């Protein structure tokens, strides 16, 4: 009997010890007992962080959709797999059973095949949160195509960059999407992107908003009629454990996003194992993660983790504020949700509204609450705990990343005592380390440093698509033989971890991971702009918001600043998407720079946060005089 489902603290410590003492045996037992393999592995783990090369379950053969769908059909075919709740509460919810999911995935997979999509081909998915989104991921996985989901809030330029980076062959999109009272012309965005995407041969379009769109002859086709004519049977493609399952882009320190590559076997084992334990999922529970499948949270904890456990997973198309701020809680009551997983930014936004929006609903079905994506502040934690959980549902503050594929540090609900703002303890198999300023590992408790991981876990991303050097540079070069997360953290007196935030040029805005470089690149395209630097500053709802310091060319100096601000945010929206718009823009004669010409963001960050007392030594700057001007004119 393996320790797939941990039930108490003693067992957690026991399992953790085992997972560290003999990781291969630990994961082998879990993989063997809880998943369907067409062939067992020759070796559990092969790794070298120097290269870096990480392989789990090498030699094994499987298809993840057999694990997420087929194996549940005999005993649980009628159980709801996906519970779809539309944007408009007047539209009925859809209960998609495992049987129906199987048929729809197979039909979709057959349509992809008919379009010439084969094992290893990349398929870009640009869809709203409708069932076809989850189904398209699974359809790709069924035939061995690599899916690359692009969040449907990204602009046409961002979409094109991602399509071209991995040479996608086909795009799945919809006519439009509903977001609260608005609808968005997704197909128009795709059309614009595809002007510069030569690799795309076909576009499959889901009808959702019934808006008027253009269909390009020979390239675009409505999906529904194709599905209706497709067979409901599609044999699985047998995959190697280390065959890529998907690419998911995340921001980095250059303008080019990083296409993180996740492979099949290890990702499946880890996402399923962590889902079961972190949410303590039981058979009749209804589980709801409010994230978008466009992010890793949706991949691992709406689709793969829950379905591999035969769970019922809710997909919500809408937003928390439509038709009013009670929408989340109305859905919890309506579907008797047991586990509810969301982002701190959503909690902060809802906590600002009248408490009646929460109290008028019966939330007694809730057993576990979760947060992800950014640090949760103490106030929001208590509001969530008191008003949503009624002080009886433990909060799991889960720390992880697109790169890690699954939750790394988190309480186990009802098992680990929670502590507001702390992600608490590492999950089995995870060996965190804190590194000090001189690159030394900080041992013992009550220390703070840079968060690294010393040993591979099954769902670590294996590479960056097309750029293994960048993978090595970004994650394995800062400290020898360790994976560097880019986050800072502290370990308290009992060994609990608290994530203190990014230590690199990534800023988390409303839970979205944004690199400063692509935003600066976009701003610098404005004809009046000479250069720019973006930093984060604390924001009530978003957690962090963006503050831009912008120097203008001589020709731009007479321009009206309000107009410039609008134009600059418009450029950002076009290049990246509205999520990356700046909250504050300060026009300045210069940016503080080192003698080698590097922008001193540390100073800019402090000014944006109004921490001007302790700026450190600025005398070595190339242009120290500019700092005073920046301070005096700060917003
Ligand atoms: O800085 C950490 C923050 O989000 C980053 C990862 O972002 P992304 O790859 O978009 O994945 C988000 C969903 C897993 C991390 O490096 N982060 C994530 N979870 C937490 C967090 N910061 C504090 N507490 C968390 N629970």
């Amino acid at each position: 009997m393996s320790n797939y489902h941990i039930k108490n603290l003693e067992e957690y410590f026991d399992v953790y010890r085992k997972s560290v003492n003999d990781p291969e045996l630990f994961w082998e037992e879990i993989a063997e007992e809880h998943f369907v393999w067409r062939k067992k592995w020759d070796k559990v783990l092969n790794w070298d962080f120097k290269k870096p090369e990480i392989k789990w379950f090498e030699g094994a053969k499987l298809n993840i959709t057999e694990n997420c769908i087929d194996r549940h059909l005999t005993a649980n075919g009628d159980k709801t797999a996906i519970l779809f709740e539309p944007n408009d509460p007047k539209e009925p919810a859809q209960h998609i059973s495992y049987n129906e999911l199987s048929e729809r995935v197979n039909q979709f997979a057959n349509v992809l095949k008919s379009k010439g999509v084969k094992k290893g081909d990349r398929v870009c998915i640009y869809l709203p949160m409708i069932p076809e989104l989850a189904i398209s991921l699974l359809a790709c996985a069924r035939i061995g195509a690599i899916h690359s989901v692009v969040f449907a809030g990204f602009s046409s330029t961002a979409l094109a960059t991602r399509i071209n980076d991995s040479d996608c062959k086909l795009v799945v999109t919809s006519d439009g999407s509903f977001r609260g009272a608005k609808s968005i012309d997704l197909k128009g965005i795709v059309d614009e992107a595809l002007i510069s995407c030569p690799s795309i041969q076909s576009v499959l379009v889901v009808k959702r908003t019934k808006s008027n769109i253009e269909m390009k002859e020979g390239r675009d086709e409505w999906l529904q009629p194709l599905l209706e004519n497709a067979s409901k049977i599609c044999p699985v493609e047998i995959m190697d454990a280390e065959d890529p399952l998907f690419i998911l882009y995340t921001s980095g320190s250059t303008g080019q996003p990083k296409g993180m590559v996740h492979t099949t076997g290890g990702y499946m084992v880890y996402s399923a194992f962590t889902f079961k334990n972190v949410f303590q999922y039981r058979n009749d529970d209804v589980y709801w993660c409010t994230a978008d499948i466009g992010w890793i949270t949706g991949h691992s904890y709406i689709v793969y983790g829950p379905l591999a456990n035969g769970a019922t997973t809710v997909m919500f198309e809408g937003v928390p504020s439509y038709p009013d701020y009670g929408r989340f809680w109305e859905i919890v009551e309506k579907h008797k949700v047991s586990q509810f997983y969301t982002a701190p930014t959503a909690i902060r936004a809802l906590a600002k509204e009248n408490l009646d929006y929460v109290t008028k609903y019966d939330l007694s079905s809730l057993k576990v609450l979760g947060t992800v994506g950014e640090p949760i502040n103490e106030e929001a934690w208590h509001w969530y705990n008191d008003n949503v959980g009624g002080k009886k549902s433990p909060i799991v503050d889960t720390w992880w990343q697109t790169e890690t594929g699954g939750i790394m540090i988190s309480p186990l609900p009802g098992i680990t005592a929670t502590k507001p703002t702390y992600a608490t303890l590492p999950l089995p198999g995870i060996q965190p380390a804190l590194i000090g300023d001189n690159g030394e590992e900080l041992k013992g408790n009550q220390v703070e440093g840079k968060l690294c991981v010393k040993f591979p876990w099954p769902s670590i991303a294996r590479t960056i698509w097309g750029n293994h050097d960048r993978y090595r540079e970004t994650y394995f070069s800062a400290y020898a033989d360790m994976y560097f997360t880019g986050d800072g953290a502290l370990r308290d007196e009992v060994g609990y971890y608290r994530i203190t935030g990014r230590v690199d040029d990534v800023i988390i805005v409303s839970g979205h991971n944004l690199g400063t470089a692509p935003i600066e690149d976009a701003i610098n395209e404005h004809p009046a702009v000479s250069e720019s630097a973006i930093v984060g500053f604390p924001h009530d709802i978003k957690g962090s918001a963006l503050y831009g310091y912008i120097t203008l060319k001589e020709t731009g100096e007479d321009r009206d600043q309000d107009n410039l601000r609008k134009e600059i945010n418009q450029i950002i929206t076009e290049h990246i998407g509205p999520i990356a718009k700046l909250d504050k823009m300060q026009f300045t004669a210069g940016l503080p720079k080192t003698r080698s010409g590097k922008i001193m963001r540390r100073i800019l960050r402090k000014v944006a946060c109004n921490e001007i007392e302790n700026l450190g030594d600025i005398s070595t700057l190339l242009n120290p005089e500019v700092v005073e001007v920046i301070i005096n004119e700060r917003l």
Side-chain angles (χ1 to χ4, degrees):
M1 161 66 197
S2 78
N3 292 297
Y4 186 64
H5 189 187
I6 301 164
K7 296 179 195 66
N8 56 56
L9 196 60
E10 203 185 336
E11 203 183 336
Y12 161 76
F13 283 118
D14 189 46
V15 166
Y16 186 76
R17 215 171 299 119
K18 198 170 152 193
S19 77
V20 171
N21 290 343
D22 194 343
E24 297 186 35
L25 179 66
F26 175 76
W27 289 113
E28 175 158 51
E29 279 182 11
I30 287 178
E32 199 148 6
E33 284 185 38
H34 300 281
F35 299 90
V36 177
W37 304 87
R38 290 293 184 107
K39 174 184 170 287
K40 290 278 156 66
W41 41 90
D42 304 317
K43 194 163 174 14
V44 179
L45 171 64
N46 217 329
W47 69 292
D48 178 353
F49 273 176
K50 282 191 192 67
K51 281 185 178 169
E53 183 178 81
I54 303 145
K55 291 180 174 169
W56 283 91
F57 309 115
E58 228 183 329
K61 306 268 185 204
L62 75 155
N63 187 289
I64 197 168
T65 67
E66 279 194 331
N67 284 275
C68 289
I69 305 171
D70 304 51
R71 65 162 158 161
H72 308 309
L73 298 181
T74 319
N76 280 315
D78 292 332
K79 179 175 176 177
T80 301
I82 294 176
L83 205 173
F84 172 62
E85 176 64 34
N87 176 62
D88 182 349
K90 291 196 283 298
E91 193 183 324
Q94 292 175 31
H95 295 253
I96 301 170
S97 68
Y98 275 92
N99 280 330
E100 185 184 341
L101 182 65
S102 168
E103 291 179 359
R104 290 175 67 175
V105 167
N106 286 345
Q107 285 177 309
F108 204 133
N110 283 323
V111 170
L112 290 175
K113 277 198 201 167
S114 74
K115 292 281 151 200
V117 177
K118 295 183 300 298
K119 177 179 176 183
D121 286 344
R122 276 78 61 205
V123 170
C124 175
I125 300 168
Y126 187 74
L127 279 174
M129 280 285 284
I130 53 178
E132 286 79 1
L133 173 53
I135 290 168
S136 61
L137 267 66
L138 295 161
C140 287
R142 187 126 188 124
I143 62 167
I146 303 170
H147 57 75
S148 167
V149 183
V150 177
F151 172 60
F154 276 121
S155 69
S156 58
T157 313
L159 175 61
T161 306
R162 286 157 178 77
I163 290 174
N164 288 332
D165 184 74
S166 47
D167 289 318
C168 295
K169 195 169 187 177
L170 181 145
V171 182
V172 186
T173 189
S174 64
D175 45 2
S177 69
F178 293 122
R179 299 280 299 161
K182 285 192 289 198
S183 67
I184 297 159
D185 172 22
L186 287 193
K187 177 63 167 51
I189 296 172
V190 170
D191 288 342
E192 217 175 294
L194 294 193
I195 294 170
S196 55
C197 297
S199 61
I200 294 295
Q201 295 168 7
S202 336
V203 179
L204 298 174
V205 188
V206 180
K207 190 169 272 184
R208 177 60 184 141
T209 53
K210 304 198 174 79
S211 43
N212 253 337
I213 57 161
E214 276 181 35
M215 296 291 275
K216 188 170 168 191
E217 182 88 36
R219 186 193 71 181
D220 305 348
E221 262 182 284
W222 290 105
L223 182 67
Q224 272 94 341
L226 297 176
L227 288 173
E228 277 157 28
N229 290 322
S231 162
K232 292 175 178 167
I233 295 167
C234 177
V236 295
E237 183 78 35
I238 308 292
M239 307 293 285
D240 286 339
E242 281 298 334
D243 278 338
L245 174 65
F246 64 86
I247 301 169
L248 188 58
Y249 286 89
T250 189
S251 311
S253 55
T254 70
Q256 186 72 2
K258 297 175 290 191
M260 303 314 306
V261 177
H262 283 283
T263 56
T264 309
Y267 174 81
M268 170 182 78
V269 169
Y270 195 76
S271 60
F273 170 79
T274 49
F275 171 76
K276 181 79 179 170
N277 283 291
V278 172
F279 299 103
Q280 291 286 306
Y281 184 85
R282 309 276 164 155
N283 268 345
D284 296 325
D285 290 344
V286 174
Y287 159 88
W288 181 18
C289 166
T290 71
D292 193 291
I293 293 177
W295 310 115
I296 190 70
T297 309
H299 281 60
S300 302
Y301 300 111
I302 295 178
V303 182
Y304 290 113
L307 296 179
N309 282 285
T312 298
T313 175
V314 176
M315 262 186 89
F316 175 44
E317 182 184 27
V319 294
S321 54
Y322 178 83
D324 64 41
Y325 288 96
R327 184 72 164 122
F328 273 1
W329 321 125
E330 184 223 334
I331 296 172
V332 169
E333 178 183 286
K334 178 171 164 192
H335 298 302
K336 299 197 171 42
V337 171
S338 333
Q339 291 91 357
F340 178 76
Y341 190 30
T342 196
T345 187
I347 299 167
R348 287 190 295 266
L350 295 172
K352 283 209 167 332
E353 303 301 325
N354 197 316
L355 202 53
D356 290 351
Y357 286 122
V358 189
T359 51
K360 76 177 190 207
Y361 296 103
D362 176 5
L363 305 183
S364 60
S365 59
L366 287 171
K367 296 194 287 191
V368 178
L369 302 177
T371 67
V372 59
E374 51 175 324
I376 180 162
N377 50 309
E378 196 143 356
E379 211 184 339
W381 193 97
H382 284 295
W383 184 89
Y384 196 31
N385 186 46
D386 296 356
N387 301 305
V388 180
K391 294 191 177 154
K392 69 166 182 55
S393 306
I395 297 177
V396 290
D397 175 351
T398 64
W399 173 82
W400 59 296
Q401 309 179 295
T402 304
E403 295 85 340
T404 71
I407 297 170
M408 303 283 282
I409 305 182
S410 168
L412 300 180
I415 294 173
T416 320
T418 56
K419 178 173 176 183
T421 76
Y422 282 74
T424 76
L425 298 172
L427 293 185
I430 305 308
Q431 303 187 32
L434 296 179
I435 308 298
D437 290 341
N438 301 319
E440 76 289 10
E441 183 176 349
L442 304 170
K443 305 268 181 169
N445 289 337
Q446 292 190 292
V447 288
E448 179 167 354
K450 301 204 167 90
L451 180 61
C452 292
V453 188
K454 291 197 275 192
F455 195 87
W457 61 98
S459 66
I460 183 174
R462 304 298 198 259
T463 190
I464 291 174
W465 183 263
N467 200 343
H468 200 63
D469 285 345
R470 187 175 180 194
Y471 174 70
R472 181 191 311 109
E473 272 292 299
T474 312
Y475 304 107
F476 298 93
S477 68
Y479 307 106
D481 285 326
M482 294 211 192
Y483 165 80
F484 173 48
T485 65
D487 281 322
L490 62 82
R491 194 159 52 221
D492 77 357
E493 63 288 351
V494 298
Y496 275 14
Y497 287 85
R498 178 186 194 198
I499 312 305
T500 49
R502 299 292 306 191
V503 293
D504 57 7
D505 289 338
V506 170
I507 304 171
I508 315 268
V509 178
S510 298
H512 301 314
N513 192 336
L514 299 173
T516 52
I519 306 175
E520 289 162 4
D521 290 351
I523 297 173
N524 297 349
E525 290 210 359
H526 190 289
V529 171
S530 161
E531 52 172 3
S532 59
I534 307 294
V535 296
F537 70 100
H539 185 280
D540 267 7
I541 292 178
K542 300 180 182 181
S544 295
L546 301 178
Y547 191 122
Y549 297 89
I550 298 167
T551 61
L552 297 174
K553 291 179 184 156
E554 243 175 65
T555 48
E557 281 170 3
D558 300 333
R559 294 279 319 269
D560 176 78
Q561 293 202 346
D562 282 343
N563 281 340
L564 271 179
R565 287 194 177 92
K566 279 188 202 129
E567 288 169 17
I568 288 170
N569 266 337
Q570 184 53 32
I571 288 199
I572 295 174
T573 305
E574 281 160 17
H575 278 69
I576 300 157
I579 50 177
K581 282 203 277 194
L582 308 186
D583 270 46
K584 293 185 181 178
M585 280 182 227
Q586 178 174 348
F587 295 103
T588 162
L591 298 171
K593 291 191 180 161
T594 61
R595 282 174 201 274
S596 60
K598 204 168 166 282
I599 298 170
M600 287 291 284
R601 284 164 203 282
R602 183 177 53 78
I603 294 175
L604 295 174
R605 211 173 286 130
K606 287 201 162 173
V607 175
C609 297
N610 239 328
E611 293 166 12
I612 49 175
E613 273 73 47
N614 190 7
L615 289 181
D617 182 13
I618 58 168
S619 63
T620 56
L621 290 181
L622 190 68
N623 50 353
E625 70 289 347
V626 87
V627 175
E628 200 180 322
V629 181
I630 286 177
I631 291 175
N632 291 338
E633 294 178 356
R634 72 187 184 276
L635 302 170

